[in-house]
Amino acid sequence: MLVLLASLSLGTSALALDLTDQEQAGKRLYREGISSSDAQLQARVGASDMTVPASVLPCASCHGNDGRGRAESGVRPPNLDWQRLALGQGVREANGRSYPAYSDSSLARAIQQGVDPAGNRLDPAMPRFELTLADQRNLTAYLKRLAQERDPGVDEGVLRIGTLLPATGPLAEAGQVVRAVLEDGLAQLNQQGGIHGRRLELVVLDPGYQPDSAERALQKLLEQQRVFALVSPLVPMLDQRLATLLAPQNVPLIGSTPRSGGSAQIFDPLPGLPVQLLSLAGHAREALGLAPGDLRVVYAGNEQAGVAEQVRDSLLQQGWAPPAVQAFDGQAVDGQGILFLGRAQAFAELAAALQAAGRQPYLFAASSQVAGGVARLPEQWSQRVFLAYPYVPEDWTEQGLASLAGLQQRQGLDPRQASLQVNTLCALRLLSEALKQIGRDASREQLIAALEGLHDVSTGLTPALGFGPGRRQGMAGAHVVAVALPGPRFTSVSPYRPVPDSP
Ligand code: HEC
């Protein structure tokens, strides 16, 4: 019993950093420039001593939430690790200054007057803050803890990654596939020593079917399991809320874009539906010769309405003149070319309704939504149906194929479910690439910045992937594939290339 208790308490102390009230107040000052009293704090900036509210220039804006400094322009804000500043003997160096260890009082002088312990003037890029005694105490107390304040999920020897995969219901099978791919991938990384000396640990929770249960599972993943980041969750029931739930703690997610749109924290290795449909529109214009007024956007199912509007807006921006989006409800819609959003069943119904009315426009849709239904289309639709595919077998290199086959063999996975396997592999690949780049002092902020900086990552299974500032989808276009019937036989007719100004 005693042993058990001891190990339990050890466990929690390693997980959470409990700050005293004083340290909490110091943290607010550090991150937001806010005093524990009602007073507004001021700072003097630059060589001219201009006064600005400290809330405009909190310490964290230059030294970073983790205190490690950001080398953005000119003089680098030094690392504020207390170990470096104050503990131990010897001379410190920063930006060409040498000085002995800081004490509480020389630290206050640096922050308030801009001189270091040796009396050197700090570069005027470091503001001089006007602090009360209490504020200075709070701040000093927090600076002493700052270095220990890591984001959740980053321990000495372990980095925890989480995901939500339904264990029962319609998504259970997909959940098992994703789980197998993730476990396999992490096991491989761990065999090679993990990343920066940490073993990667996967925490999988079951989100259930309902938005409520999924939200509770997410909360548990973040607060009790304290995972650092999320990878490839299957939670369509959280579509509306996911971005809002991840934002406050800046939790990175690498997987898929919720239908309600992405956010700064959410990275999708593959192109979203709008981008895929825009690739089809490009083909409609260039290869099929459709005129600006010929295309229209048709969707089936309320949950597709938002994306349909997005697609139409992007079409407008690209010089198309589509009429208002239309909800499909069994009617034969007009138009030379129809960009369709919805499920395979509704797609087949649309084709049947059009055929009954004697119409045969071009039909365009994302393979991920309708591919399952095209085999049943009548022969008349041969070469009239075009599907967007993020990747096609021609993208697969020998090495990519070998690693996919190895995975399938080790985990007993069905090669017919390759696309889910490839999606998950890509997410894991991008995550591990970014984790390697940020080094051992991992923070969520740094992970997001590293993901954003990834480009030309080759997976051997897809076109090269990458993100960018404001760009959260790893591919900015899709292959266009024509469907020949009966069969169906699929032929790639337009290779992947980025859609200009894609969303
Ligand atoms: C506008 C950017 C900026 C802000 C805001 C800022 N600093 Fe700095 N800080 C710097 C720069 C740049 C230096 C390096 C100056 C030099 O080396 O001459 C520095 C230096 C320091 C040093 C000296 C470190 C050493 O090794 O000598 C300390 C301590 C420090 N800052 C603490 C703080 C604290 C605490 C706050 C908030 C109350 C803060 N800084 C806010 C940019 C900033």
Side-chain angles (χ1 to χ4, degrees):
M1 189 61 194
L2 254 179
V3 176
L4 181 67
L5 274 179
S7 66
L8 272 180
S9 59
L10 249 183
T12 45
S13 71
L15 287 179
L17 180 66
D18 294 320
L19 297 178
T20 63
D21 289 349
Q22 191 180 44
E23 289 159 357
Q24 276 294 353
K27 177 174 177 175
R28 252 165 60 95
L29 208 171
Y30 183 84
R31 294 213 171 175
E32 301 166 54
I34 297 175
S35 166
S36 60
S37 72
D38 288 338
Q40 197 192 51
L41 297 176
Q42 304 290 339
R44 284 171 292 118
V45 198
S48 61
D49 267 357
M50 192 174 72
T51 302
V52 298
S55 56
V56 176
L57 278 180
C59 321
S61 67
C62 296
H63 292 276
N65 278 347
D66 56 6
R68 293 190 181 104
R70 301 272 173 277
E72 262 157 26
S73 58
V75 197
R76 188 189 164 95
N79 186 340
L80 297 185
D81 188 344
W82 192 247
Q83 186 76 36
R84 186 192 80 84
L85 286 178
L87 303 179
Q89 304 295 311
V91 171
R92 278 86 173 144
E93 307 243 346
N95 296 320
R97 293 177 289 108
S98 312
Y99 49 93
Y102 275 91
S103 62
D104 285 15
S105 60
S106 59
L107 179 73
R109 251 195 329 274
I111 295 170
Q112 299 183 24
Q113 294 160 26
V115 285
D116 74 11
N120 300 310
R121 285 245 142 251
L122 299 180
D123 188 280
M126 162 69 192
R128 279 71 61 204
F129 292 84
E130 286 160 16
L131 303 181
T132 65
L133 211 55
D135 284 324
Q136 182 64 58
R137 281 209 191 106
N138 297 342
L139 183 60
T140 304
Y142 180 63
L143 289 175
K144 293 178 179 174
R145 299 294 301 277
L146 182 60
Q148 304 159 19
E149 191 164 62
R150 289 215 172 107
D151 277 329
V154 189
D155 291 342
E156 223 9 68
V158 176
L159 192 133
R160 269 188 309 286
I161 305 291
T163 191
L164 297 171
L165 302 172
T168 55
L171 285 174
E173 207 188 324
Q176 270 172 15
V177 173
V178 172
R179 183 178 191 139
V181 176
L182 292 176
E183 280 176 350
D184 189 89
L186 294 188
Q188 305 254 312
L189 280 166
N190 288 337
Q191 250 166 35
Q192 295 153 20
I195 295 182
H196 298 298
R198 290 196 185 92
R199 200 168 52 76
L200 298 177
E201 186 181 297
L202 182 69
V203 183
V204 185
L205 294 187
D206 180 0
Y209 309 85
Q210 302 295 333
D212 286 8
S213 58
E215 193 170 329
R216 275 197 306 277
L218 178 62
Q219 225 80 46
K220 193 165 164 201
L221 205 52
L222 297 179
E223 267 140 44
Q224 287 174 24
Q225 303 288 338
R226 295 178 60 80
V227 300
F228 180 63
L230 278 103
V231 65
S232 300
L234 285 178
V235 282
M237 49 291 198
L238 275 189
D239 250 5
Q240 296 302 321
R241 303 263 298 128
L242 198 55
T244 322
L245 293 170
L246 297 180
Q249 295 180 56
N250 204 23
V251 185
L253 182 158
I254 303 95
S256 58
T257 315
R259 230 183 280 114
S260 56
S263 72
Q265 290 86 26
I266 300 182
F267 293 80
D268 190 345
L270 300 180
L273 286 173
V275 166
Q276 297 194 43
L277 294 203
L278 288 183
S279 291
L280 294 167
H283 183 73
R285 171 154 40 205
E286 284 155 31
L288 306 174
L290 263 56
D294 290 345
L295 262 190
R296 58 200 56 210
V297 182
V298 173
Y299 68 93
N302 286 338
E303 74 285 0
Q304 309 287 341
V307 184
E309 290 293 353
Q310 255 184 42
V311 171
R312 178 169 178 270
D313 286 349
S314 311
L315 287 176
L316 284 168
Q317 276 168 29
Q318 303 206 343
W320 293 90
V325 302
Q326 264 185 66
F328 172 66
D329 192 18
Q331 80 279 29
V333 295
D334 297 327
Q336 294 278 315
I338 293 169
L339 289 174
F340 176 83
L341 287 152
R343 292 175 182 273
Q345 175 69 26
F347 186 67
E349 285 166 20
L350 172 68
L354 287 164
Q355 208 175 341
R359 293 187 203 152
Q360 210 166 41
Y362 291 113
L363 301 182
F364 304 97
S367 59
S368 58
Q369 291 198 310
V370 307
V374 296
R376 282 176 271 129
L377 292 180
E379 215 176 312
Q380 287 92 318
W381 291 102
S382 197
Q383 305 298 345
R384 309 291 294 178
V385 174
F386 295 88
L387 303 181
Y389 278 84
Y391 47 85
V392 292
E394 287 88 83
D395 293 319
W396 299 11
T397 64
E398 213 164 296
Q399 208 185 359
L401 262 177
S403 68
L404 183 62
L407 161 70
Q408 289 167 344
Q409 203 186 4
R410 283 190 300 276
Q411 300 291 324
L413 296 174
D414 186 344
R416 280 170 303 179
Q417 283 177 327
S419 75
L420 189 54
Q421 296 157 18
V422 172
N423 296 358
T424 313
L425 275 176
C426 289
L428 197 54
R429 177 74 213 286
L430 293 169
L431 172 64
S432 59
E433 195 63 37
L435 282 173
K436 282 176 191 159
Q437 285 190 10
I438 59 180
R440 197 169 151 77
D441 295 331
S443 75
R444 287 172 171 167
E445 197 182 335
Q446 286 168 316
L447 178 61
I448 288 171
L451 284 164
E452 191 171 277
L454 291 180
H455 51 83
D456 276 334
V457 177
S458 69
T459 63
L461 295 166
T462 63
L465 304 180
F467 302 108
R471 197 177 137 205
R472 293 295 182 261
Q473 293 177 353
M475 288 174 57
H479 296 270
V480 177
V481 169
V483 181
L485 297 159
R489 275 164 296 123
F490 299 98
T491 323
S492 177
V493 288
S494 170
Y496 163 76
R497 71 200 134 126
V499 172
D501 300 322
S502 55

